[in-house]
Each structure stands twice: as C-alpha cells, then as structure tokens.
Amino acid sequence: SSDLGIEIESNSKIVPTDQRNIMYKVAQLMQERYGLKKGVKIFVYKHIPTQAGLAGGSADGAAVIKAMNKLFNLNFLKVVLSMKKILIANRGEIAIRIIRACHELHLKTVAIYAKEDEYGVHRFRADEAYLVGAGKKPIDAYLDMDDIIRIAKMTGADAIHPGYGFLSENEEFAQKCEDAGIIFIGPTVKQLQMFGDKVEAKEVAHAAGLETIPGTEDPVKSLEEVQNFAHKYGYPIMVKAAMGGGGRGMRVVNSDDE
C-alpha cells in the first residue's frame, strides 16, 4: 500500500487482514475514478457517532467494513467508478434528483427534454441537454428508445439512468443499451424479463424460498375460478393483469356480485 499512498488509521486495536484488503481495494478504485495520486486515508473508528446514520448510534468500525465487503461486489464497484457521464432518460423532479446525485459523485450529466419541456428546470440543471423525439407527443418523446441511445452515443455518455416510470422497466430498452455498449442503471435484462410477467415473478420468488400473498398459480380462464379463489381466501381480492404495470389493469373485487 505504501506505493499507492493509502493509509489506514483506526482507534480499534485489531482490523483483520481481510477487512484491510477490502479497504485497500476500494481506495484503489476511488483513486482510479477520481484521478487521485497519493494521500488517500481511510479512517476506521471504534465508535461511530449517531450522525453517521447507523442504528443505535455506535458500531465497531471493523464490523462496518465487513458489512461493506458483503454488500459491495468489487467488480460492480469498478463498473460504477468507471462511469464519467450519465444520461438521464426522464424529466422533472425525478431527473433533478438524479442530476443532483450525479453531481455529488462528480459525474457529468446529460438531460433530454421533449419540445413541451423546453423550459423545464431539469434541462438547465444538467451539464448538457438535448431535444428528444422531435415532432412526437411529450410522452412518446421520452419513450423514443433509439433517439435516447443516439443522444447517449453523441454525448459520450457511459450510462443511462431511466429514473422510474417511462423506460425504467422496459427490457427492450435495457437490451438496446447493452447492445450499444452503454450501461443501463437498473435491473438486468434477465431480471426485467422475469419480473415483467407477474405470474413468472411469483414463480421466481417461490423458487428462491420467498413467501408471497395467496394468489392463483396461473392466469385464470373463467369467472368460476375467480369465485372459487375468493371463497377459499375471502373477499376483498385483487384482479390484476399478468403483464400490467403502474397500477394499470388492477381492480379490487369485494363480492361475488362485483
């Protein structure tokens, strides 16, 4: 570590070697990301004050690092730290929050805006901003996958953050990003495929040993199936489209008559 200039300071007598190693690796990645040369110092304190946001107000410093080791995959961290510029494929408050987070991480930002959002605040908060989906209606503009990817390539964005809503759960868009060599900040294509279909999502959850609320194993094909289910578990029940999203196709049923 001496040639890297990484120094660990701790008032805890023992910090196990494996936990020191994870700290050194994280510090190295941060050096690469932020262009630091020497003088990276990591502080590990026996007692951490409440302001640190940890439950109970105090914790063993080494235990915190051990938890980090479990939570953070170094390969994933390396991908994150390799990013320099993020395109935000969203608008309004959602985009503003992402832009603020990016700037706190010293990441450049690219905003997109529909013609109707020409004077939207998010456009002016980003480092760069470009019209998307020219000639299209506002919603359609933010769903223009090919134009979003075009702007990302044009600006040299390493990644696209979809925010929530719009393209955030669209497996086709995630695949297009992957094919274009752009990081999609969100679930993998495989995960989006699994959880887009609510019936398959339940099967995956059960296979992982997770409990779910009572529900039909397969899509229902008759009113009788629905009534039998309701009589077994009791009203109210919820009827939902297997491929629904954002509350669409979801209805509460309170009785046989309904």
Side-chain angles (χ1 to χ4, degrees):
S1 66
S2 58
D3 41 332
L4 289 171
I6 301 171
E7 180 184 345
I8 293 180
E9 180 179 309
S10 174
N11 66 349
S12 181
K13 290 183 179 178
I14 299 175
V15 178
T17 302
D18 61 335
Q19 293 168 20
R20 281 182 173 269
N21 288 341
I22 188 80
M23 288 189 282
Y24 283 128
K25 288 176 182 177
V26 170
Q28 281 180 266
L29 290 172
M30 290 186 71
Q31 281 182 317
E32 292 171 12
R33 168 64 182 85
Y34 296 109
L36 303 176
K37 302 208 174 166
K38 299 282 182 182
V40 173
K41 181 176 282 192
I42 300 173
F43 298 91
V44 182
Y45 288 113
K46 181 71 176 175
H47 297 291
I48 300 175
T50 305
Q51 287 84 344
L54 294 165
S58 66
D60 182 276
V64 173
I65 298 301
K66 188 173 182 180
M68 286 174 59
N69 194 3
K70 289 181 179 179
L71 288 171
F72 294 102
N73 177 296
L74 282 175
N75 289 329
F76 172 73
L77 188 59
K78 192 161 188 175
V79 170
V80 172
L81 292 174
S82 71
M83 295 188 292
K84 303 289 193 303
K85 184 184 286 190
I86 312 293
L87 183 147
I88 297 94
N90 217 297
R91 64 182 294 279
E93 180 64 19
I94 300 167
I96 290 171
R97 291 186 180 198
I98 298 169
I99 291 166
R100 182 175 63 196
C102 288
H103 287 168
E104 288 175 358
L105 293 169
H106 305 284
L107 296 168
K108 296 290 185 183
T109 55
V110 180
I112 58 172
Y113 61 92
K115 176 64 178 174
E116 287 77 3
D117 281 336
E118 185 176 2
Y119 299 106
V121 176
H122 76 282
R123 174 189 176 184
F124 300 101
R125 291 288 178 86
D127 297 296
E128 305 172 52
Y130 300 90
L131 177 68
V132 69
K136 294 187 175 182
K137 295 178 181 178
I139 300 299
D140 293 338
Y142 289 106
L143 296 175
D144 192 332
M145 293 183 266
D146 292 333
D147 204 31
I148 291 170
I149 295 217
R150 175 190 67 79
I151 295 170
K153 286 183 173 181
M154 178 184 74
T155 57
D158 307 289
I160 294 176
H161 194 315
Y164 59 85
F166 288 135
L167 296 168
S168 61
E169 296 180 42
N170 189 303
E171 64 183 79
E172 182 185 354
F173 182 61
Q175 185 64 61
K176 282 178 176 285
C177 288
E178 187 177 309
D179 294 342
I182 297 168
I183 299 166
F184 177 79
I185 301 177
T188 64
V189 174
K190 183 177 180 181
Q191 289 165 342
L192 288 169
Q193 289 170 341
M194 287 192 297
F195 297 113
D197 183 326
K198 304 306 181 292
V199 174
E200 185 178 352
K202 286 190 67 173
E203 292 174 356
V204 172
H206 292 159
L210 299 174
E211 293 291 335
T212 61
I213 62 172
T216 56
E217 297 299 321
D218 300 298
V220 293
K221 296 179 180 177
S222 69
L223 177 60
E224 185 180 5
E225 284 186 67
V226 180
Q227 289 177 325
N228 290 339
F229 177 85
H231 294 163
K232 180 178 180 179
Y233 292 102
Y235 285 108
I237 62 169
M238 180 176 70
V239 178
K240 180 171 176 57
M243 296 299 291
R248 292 172 296 175
M250 190 186 299
R251 296 290 182 271
V252 176
V253 181
N254 295 289
S255 67
D256 279 0
D257 292 337
E258 290 185 8

